[in-house]
Amino acid sequence: MTDDRSPRLVWTEDGAPRSGRFDDIYFSREDGLAESRAVFLAGCGLPEAWRGRTRFTVAELGFGTGLNIAALLDLWRRERPPNSRLHIFSVEGFPLGRDEAARALGTWPELADAARALLQAWPAPTPGFHRLDLPGFDATLDLAVGDAAEALTQWSGRADAWFLDGFAPATNPGMWSDAVLDGVAARSAPGARVATFTVAGAVRRGLSERGFTVDKRPGHGRKRERLEARHPGAPDPTRAPTVAIVGGGIAGAALVRAFTALGLTCTVIEETGPGAGGSGFPSALVTPRLDAGDRGIAALHAQALARARALYASVPDAILAGGVLQLEQAPRDAARFGKVAAQDLWPAGAMTQLDAPASAARLNEPVDTGGLFMRDALALNPAPVLGTWLAGADRITASVDRIEPAAGRWRLVDAGGDVILEADVVVVAAGWGAAALRPDLPLAPVRGQADWVAGVSTAPTAWGGYASPTPDGLLFGATHERGEAAVETSAAASARNLQALETRLPALAARVAAAGTVRNRAAIRATTPDRLPLAGDLAPGLFVLTGLGSRGFCVAPLLAEHVAALAAGAPSPLPASLAARIEPKRFVIAGALAQPSAAMDGST
């Protein structure tokens, strides 16, 4: 983290944390929890405001030590409605480290469970959005690290309650600016409540001018007054659509997990079985697309990798190895890797440039180039991930020939004209199979064959090809055959894979050649012209998650949450600028994708 993002934390003589940057305390050690409960929880009418709700969203400006959120979680667990979920969005420009937060929150043993959940999920202080799971509370926290006004323009949610808890307007005026108050108003749900400790005239006028009804209330402790405000209108009812997912690979499985986390049930339609396509190999590398020049692409993959790692870690036996070495392929890669390692998007130590001797030592193999060690990348066993995540859905074995609109819903139909299923929401997550269902999508096939053997191992490595551990050996490959959509394997492809391995890792290739039986498999990657996925809506109730190319296991968990949020009307984990990069309609002129194609609506 750069110095200008440091809160410059100091501790007062009585043990209270203080920001040296803003010369203000985070809370009073004497009554900080009582103040949080009185000003923010009671000030937003909690718990009464969430009675009868199945989903409730709280937004906060000024995450600080996490005290307000810990108090909120404690109240939510005790007073939440049945079968309900809490979504929290918070912004912090100058984040504390986990150890600093632990010291601060340790003041209140009664919040121990909530504090522990927050601290276990505490993110790296890198800029952007961080999604944190709080499973013991049926809650999710999206923490935005950066400028408050910018974060509010990037957030897609609508808050039912606001905790305005930046440092005082006199010391931190940027947190109370017109741009910030504009964002609060724009991202407020009908009937939203606002609570804050300050009664500064500019804050009162700013909220009032933006349509809020503002009232002064008695303050807490030594503070005479505080503010409560209410946005006009009444809360919107929460939607609970029926959901159908076409495809049972990593995209479909990630969608099931994401919809289940929102309290929705899904039906998965798969022609054969889980992992029948590109997700069916015995190993997969979870690596980001590296981009030293396009910050948006780099940010998308940095966020995706962090989310994938967190979610895969919760699946038993899923992670085969941590850390992947990306070897240099061309002379310019050394400089490019240096730029990537210097990007502030990655946590400290996540990207380390190695020279040739260090790379050889890491692999215990002779290599003649340096590389980039990606600490948080993974070698993954796909089978337990698919099995665990798909277990949350009903499943139908069928082949979808077309998707038709049906009186505000969508109908899945097989080649014989029989209706497989009708649903309010359909997500096409069938990889290359999505091209047949939506021929207007800008997808192209790339066949990839990989080979594997038992009894041979190495550290996960990539160089254009790759070598990755399996539960009992090593997988290597894969071919990259553009425009090929047949899945037959060939001896020629196996020979190319072995030759590519021998060129970069000759000692490993010799062990593979001596290992005996070599198995292989081919699958089709779905790619797009800009090598970025398609994730979003095609028409009301119709969504797509495809075009993941060779990065499916990295990007699918995060992008599935984005698509599920769009479908359910929940806050997306993606900043708006990154969501625009993967918008399915980005290649098509003026909404052509928004209309059902001839293949879908039955016309000829």
Side-chain angles (χ1 to χ4, degrees), residues 511-538:
R511 297 201 303 275
V512 167
T517 302
V518 178
R519 291 176 286 175
N520 53 42
R521 188 174 183 274
I524 310 303
R525 310 177 186 96
T527 64
T528 65
D530 60 6
R531 297 192 299 126
L532 288 173
L534 305 174
D537 66 298
L538 303 178

Side-chain angles (χ1 to χ4, degrees), residues 185-486:
R187 305 318 306 165
S188 289
R193 303 276 292 268
V194 177
T196 182
F197 63 88
T198 182
V199 292
V203 176
R204 297 198 316 272
R205 290 189 298 273
L207 290 172
S208 179
E209 289 167 357
R210 288 161 178 83
F212 290 89
T213 301
V214 182
D215 293 302
K216 289 183 181 180
R217 300 294 186 195
H220 180 80
R222 289 175 290 176
K223 295 181 180 178
R224 293 177 54 195
E225 296 175 307
R226 59 183 174 85
L227 287 187
E228 292 182 9
R230 186 188 291 269
H231 200 258
D236 295 326
T238 302
R239 296 185 297 148
T242 56
V243 180
I245 298 167
V246 182
I250 186 57
L255 283 162
V256 171
R257 194 215 64 80
F259 277 111
T260 301
L262 292 172
L264 301 177
T265 57
C266 312
T267 300
V268 173
I269 300 92
E270 173 62 59
E271 187 171 358
T272 51
S279 303
F281 291 89
S283 182
L285 289 187
V286 183
T287 57
R289 176 176 165 184
L290 304 174
D291 200 302
D294 189 321
R295 186 174 175 85
I297 290 175
L300 175 66
H301 287 83
Q303 186 181 353
L305 178 61
R307 190 64 179 137
R309 183 181 178 87
L311 292 174
Y312 293 144
S314 67
V315 179
D317 303 319
I319 296 177
L320 296 168
V324 177
L325 177 60
Q326 178 77 45
L327 293 171
E328 296 166 9
Q329 295 178 255
R332 66 178 182 275
D333 281 345
R336 185 169 71 93
F337 287 170
K339 292 177 181 178
V340 169
Q343 289 172 325
D344 65 354
L345 300 166
W346 310 102
M351 295 288 178
T352 304
Q353 193 170 13
L354 305 180
D355 60 15
S359 296
R362 167 131 198 108
L363 297 175
N364 198 26
E365 302 275 350
V367 293
D368 55 8
T369 68
L372 184 69
F373 178 61
M374 302 178 287
R375 182 196 64 194
D376 296 338
L378 304 169
L380 189 76
N381 183 2
V385 174
L386 298 183
T388 299
W389 290 356
L390 289 170
D394 297 325
R395 283 186 263 175
I396 296 174
T397 301
S399 178
V400 179
D401 181 70
R402 60 187 185 274
I403 305 172
E404 300 174 345
R409 308 181 83 207
W410 294 92
R411 179 182 298 129
L412 308 181
V413 183
D414 66 18
D418 292 330
V419 176
I420 301 168
L421 187 69
E422 285 191 6
D424 301 315
V425 168
V426 170
V427 188
V428 179
W432 170 240
L437 293 173
R438 288 298 302 219
D440 51 352
L441 292 174
L443 295 173
V446 178
R447 179 170 61 196
Q449 178 176 318
D451 296 72
W452 62 94
V453 296
V456 178
S457 65
T458 192
T461 319
W463 61 86
Y466 62 93
S468 180
T470 68
D472 63 355
L474 180 81
L475 180 143
F476 60 98
T479 61
H480 199 83
E481 302 166 80
R482 296 183 182 277
E484 297 294 332

